[in-house]
Amino acid sequence: MRFGCIDIGSNTTRLLVAEIRGGELEPVEARRHFTRIGAAVGIDGQIPEQKIAEVAAIAGELAERSRALGAPDVTVVATAAVRAALNRDELTAAVAERAGVPVRVVSGSDEAELSFHGACHAVEHADGALAVIDVGGGSTEIAVGTADAGVSWSTSLAIGSGLLGRRHLTGDPPSAAQIEAAHAAAAAALGGITPPPVRAAVAVGGTATSLHRLVGPALTRAALECGLARVCERPAAQAARELGLPEERIRLLPAGIVVLCAVADLVEVPLSVAGGGLREGVLLQRAREAIA
């Protein structure tokens, strides 16, 4: 059984097509477009018409690609930037028309749970509780639970790589003072959050997968600080050429890393990178529904 998931996030719009058999997920193709909805939202809280048209056109192309790959069952989800936009219904209607399927605007708690289940299939489960951290463009989700029992605790925070970067890391590269201010803002955003104790923690999403290329799968505090220094020591265009990452991702990475530093301090265990996340969770859930 093949399924497709289009994920309309605050920074990117992505497609994942996967083969699912016996609860196991095997990726077939993944695509990504930097659509930056979060950055486009105006002071009136609305997504501009031009951005709506752009995202709808991309979603339509991705839906066609999913069907061409033998996955006519396409699920479209939208996250933080869309759920916060005052005119989100306009975007979801435009996307539904072009993609041919309705759009599910997921809540923060649903996003945390889906990311948890998507990550669980890709990691070797440690004994005891596992934390899954998903740093997005407009929000960060933390879920704690076990593979067998599911999520027992979760939270969704209004801080992400896009929001934090636009507010604090405006230099190219960001200055030391800007980085210090971003660290303070991230710590404040997580203030008062007390997750249950965990034995292990994994990070999913664009920041985590990019860091894997830069520093490896173990995101210790030293590795996070090393990654932050590497992307902030020269302008984004130069860093992108030298590090082999898209310039758009380089511009988002410093803020994403700062958020991961704050979360690592919160959960008090070293993070590692997991290959699954929201899209995998959506596809596994859809496969279960199709079988039922």
Side-chain angles (χ1 to χ4, degrees), residues 68-87:
L69 290 168
D73 189 312
V74 184
T75 301
V76 183
V77 296
T79 56
V82 176
R83 65 176 173 251
L86 297 181
N87 62 336

Side-chain angles (χ1 to χ4, degrees), residues 8 37 45-49 52-53 55-56 78-98 101-106:
I8 303 173
I37 295 175
Q46 301 201 43
I47 305 168
E49 290 185 7
I52 290 174
V55 173
T79 56
V82 176
R83 65 176 173 251
L86 297 181
N87 62 336
R88 73 182 197 180
D89 290 347
E90 294 178 26
L91 182 138
T92 57
V95 170
E97 181 179 358
R98 294 296 295 267
V101 291
V103 179
R104 175 186 173 189
V105 180
V106 298

Side-chain angles (χ1 to χ4, degrees), residues 153-280:
W153 180 94
S154 69
T155 188
S156 179
L157 306 165
I159 185 170
S161 60
L163 279 173
L164 190 67
R166 290 193 298 276
R167 290 175 181 172
H168 297 285
L169 303 176
T170 56
D172 185 21
S175 67
Q178 289 176 345
I179 293 170
E180 183 178 351
H183 275 298
L190 272 64
I193 302 299
T194 308
V198 296
R199 292 286 299 275
V202 298
V204 301
T207 296
T209 54
S210 297
L211 275 171
H212 188 289
R213 294 182 59 180
L214 296 183
V215 301
L219 302 183
T220 62
R221 187 56 190 263
L224 290 170
E225 291 173 355
C226 175
L228 184 59
R230 290 189 69 188
V231 296
C232 291
E233 63 188 3
R234 53 214 180 283
Q238 181 183 351
R241 290 193 301 271
E242 295 177 359
L243 298 176
L245 290 168
E247 185 175 338
E248 295 94 334
R249 178 56 64 191
I250 291 291
R251 294 185 183 279
L252 294 165
L253 262 177
I257 296 171
V258 166
V259 176
L260 281 178
C261 286
V263 176
D265 291 344
L266 184 70
V267 299
E268 298 182 332
V269 295
L271 309 181
S272 59
V273 179
L278 174 63
R279 290 172 296 285
E280 288 81 0

